[in-house]
Amino acid sequence: MSTVDLPLLPLGRGRDLESERGVECPGDLPSPSDPDLVARARAAKEALGERVFVLGHHYQRDEVIEFADVTGDSFKLARDAAARPEAEFIVFCGVHFMAESADILTGEHQQVVLPDLAAGCSMADMARLAQVEDAWDALEAAGVADSVVPVTYMNSSADIKAFVGRHDGTVCTSSNAETALEWAFGQKPDAKVLFLPDQHLGRNTAVLQMGFSLDECVVWNPHLPDGGLTREELAGARMILWRGHCSVHGRFSPAVVDELRATIPGVQILVHPECVHEVVLKADLVGSTEFIIKTIEAAPAGTSWAIGTELNLVKRLAAAHPDKRIAFLDKNVCYCSTMNRIDLPHFVWAMESLVAGTVANRIEVDPDTTHWARVALQRMLDLPGRSHRD
Ligand code: 13P
Ligand code: SF4
């Protein structure tokens, strides 16, 4: 038997820079055990003053959220970034696609920094531009492309957003997916939507909020010829769902919902729409991270909740609401590992680099991609109102 020499490529400084682009931190990354990290972060933030604006997604660690000027879901953070033209630097504590969106929506004089470039998103990586272009060619060959309106979830790379912009589509987030789909279906008679890259958000919104049947939703598998679909299946579909998912939310299971209902009297199940359809069907309430937070804030003392979203947020909600019983929806689901890459050492390193005059880990989207992605993002920002699940 022959053996293949497989290199072990742990993530970290100086490893496999070809495939793990950006894991290198030029300069000194502070040690996580440095007792002065908090003081260093405070000092750097103070030194930069109004020149820096720090955004923190709800799934970030407490130690990082502590330093965020604003927190929010991906929709709110995109808007907040766009509303701060006076800040020279936007330090984005979130993941790569969010920092790209911030770069697209901010002015040319502003620079966006992602404290660890290895903070990607496995869902966003499930739709690559070449795959989406192949899918579009196949839809054209099947004679359906003319009626297809592409809609991409915010959790996608800038080049996918640009593709959608070029093809008269829009971006959506978990808090406005219903409004975005209503817009898309209103664009053409007999419109079909190609929904990228999260099949679960697409299916949950189409079926539970828009009244489509499961049969009207087909799944496009980018690893199969013609997405694994026949012409008849494509012709009959209203929603063509890209075969992508969130590796965190996809792990919550309907069995645990049943278990918790049996063990916690009166528990209400509150989940994010990235969860699988079977979990969402069993939940009491479904909505974006902003919706989850507002629901818990408004809940009466003494109520019991089991929440299906990222663990950093659920733990923070439990700590902030000791008068309510807040459980995590699963024993086996853990943090989003890429969100967690932004830790205090990386934050301090990025901030101190700015103080020293170096813009480290800048996220810069090329001008053509920026133009078309902005077209798609602007269509989203122009959508009427926000959904009740905001
Ligand atoms: P929202 O921030 O839109 O709720 O999305 C959740 C998520 O998974 C972000 O990565
Ligand atoms: Fe991506 Fe899921 Fe992590 Fe959000 S929680 S960044 S969708 S892997």
Side-chain angles (χ1 to χ4, degrees):
M1 195 179 81
S2 72
T3 55
V4 181
D5 187 20
L6 285 175
L8 185 63
L9 297 168
L11 289 173
R13 251 193 298 174
R15 306 288 170 171
D16 187 27
L17 296 182
E18 283 303 307
S19 67
E20 300 287 352
R21 277 171 300 138
V23 294
E24 187 183 37
C25 280
D28 281 331
L29 189 67
S31 157
S33 60
D34 180 342
D36 295 332
L37 281 181
V38 170
R40 286 172 65 175
R42 270 197 205 122
K45 200 156 180 247
E46 219 172 282
L48 290 162
E50 297 290 303
R51 295 174 67 203
V52 72
F53 188 44
V54 180
L55 300 172
H57 188 271
H58 290 311
Y59 297 166
Q60 289 288 293
R61 298 161 178 266
D62 286 351
E63 70 199 43
V64 170
I65 284 291
E66 174 83 23
F67 292 98
D69 292 309
V70 290
T71 57
D73 63 3
S74 48
F75 182 94
K76 181 169 177 290
L77 293 180
R79 279 215 303 215
D80 288 346
R84 219 12 131 88
E86 63 279 15
E88 211 177 312
F89 309 117
I90 308 283
V91 173
F92 210 113
C93 300
V95 291
H96 193 268
F97 70 80
M98 298 179 183
E100 281 185 329
S101 298
D103 183 53
I104 290 162
L105 291 169
T106 50
E108 280 186 19
H109 60 291
Q110 295 178 286
Q111 304 189 64
V112 176
V113 167
L114 182 64
D116 185 348
L117 291 185
C121 165
S122 52
M123 177 203 285
D125 288 346
M126 289 176 196
R128 300 277 184 192
L129 181 61
Q131 294 174 318
V132 175
E133 283 173 343
D134 285 352
W136 195 262
D137 290 347
L139 292 175
E140 272 174 348
V144 294
D146 282 349
S147 54
V148 174
V149 180
V151 176
T152 191
Y153 189 22
M154 187 67 134
N155 301 17
S156 55
S157 58
D159 56 9
I160 299 294
K161 293 186 179 82
F163 174 93
V164 164
R166 276 191 200 96
H167 290 84
D168 303 322
T170 187
V171 179
C172 75
T173 71
S174 54
S175 56
N176 65 8
E178 182 182 4
T179 317
L181 286 186
E182 272 163 11
W183 173 88
F185 282 111
Q187 294 307 296
K188 295 176 180 178
D190 300 324
K192 299 176 192 297
V193 165
L194 171 63
F195 194 88
L196 302 152
D198 184 13
Q199 59 168 303
H200 301 304
L201 177 64
R203 183 180 295 107
N204 289 327
T205 311
V207 174
L208 300 173
Q209 291 179 256
M210 315 260 318
F212 287 112
S213 71
L214 279 173
D215 290 342
E216 289 172 296
C217 304
V218 294
V219 177
W220 183 278
N221 182 346
H223 304 291
L224 293 176
D226 296 329
L229 296 169
T230 63
R231 287 192 176 208
E232 292 68 41
E233 284 169 325
L234 277 177
R238 299 300 307 279
M239 287 289 286
I240 305 167
L241 305 168
W242 194 261
R243 193 167 181 267
H245 66 273
C246 167
S247 43
V248 177
H249 291 90
R251 294 181 61 134
F252 294 107
S253 68
V256 177
V257 176
D258 293 342
E259 213 178 286
L260 287 175
R261 283 204 195 280
T263 50
I264 307 179
V267 70
Q268 295 187 69
I269 311 289
L270 173 56
V271 302
H272 194 281
E274 286 173 18
C275 293
V276 301
H277 191 59
E278 294 70 20
V279 166
V280 169
L281 276 180
K282 283 184 176 267
D284 297 294
L285 291 166
V286 188
S288 72
T289 43
E290 286 291 313
F291 173 79
I292 289 172
I293 293 166
K294 284 181 189 159
T295 302
I296 295 298
E297 281 170 355
T303 48
S304 297
W305 298 86
I307 306 181
T309 192
E310 210 272 346
L311 187 51
N312 276 308
L313 174 58
V314 180
K315 279 170 73 175
R316 218 162 17 246
L317 283 171
H321 298 275
D323 57 329
K324 298 155 205 176
R325 178 166 180 192
I326 295 175
F328 189 51
L329 190 58
D330 204 303
K331 299 183 278 297
N332 301 317
V333 179
C334 54
Y335 301 99
C336 171
S337 58
T338 49
M339 282 277 180
N340 261 13
R341 286 199 155 272
I342 312 292
D343 55 10
L344 208 43
H346 283 87
F347 180 72
V348 167
W349 171 75
M351 295 287 282
E352 289 183 346
S353 300
L354 291 176
V355 174
T358 305
V359 183
N361 287 2
R362 180 171 177 195
I363 302 298
E364 202 175 2
V365 181
D366 72 77
D368 188 55
T369 306
T370 294
H371 171 80
W372 286 108
R374 192 183 281 150
V375 167
L377 280 162
Q378 196 56 50
R379 280 193 193 114
M380 173 184 85
L381 294 170
D382 292 343
L383 289 173
R386 290 189 74 177
S387 128
H388 63 286
R389 286 164 197 276
D390 167 352

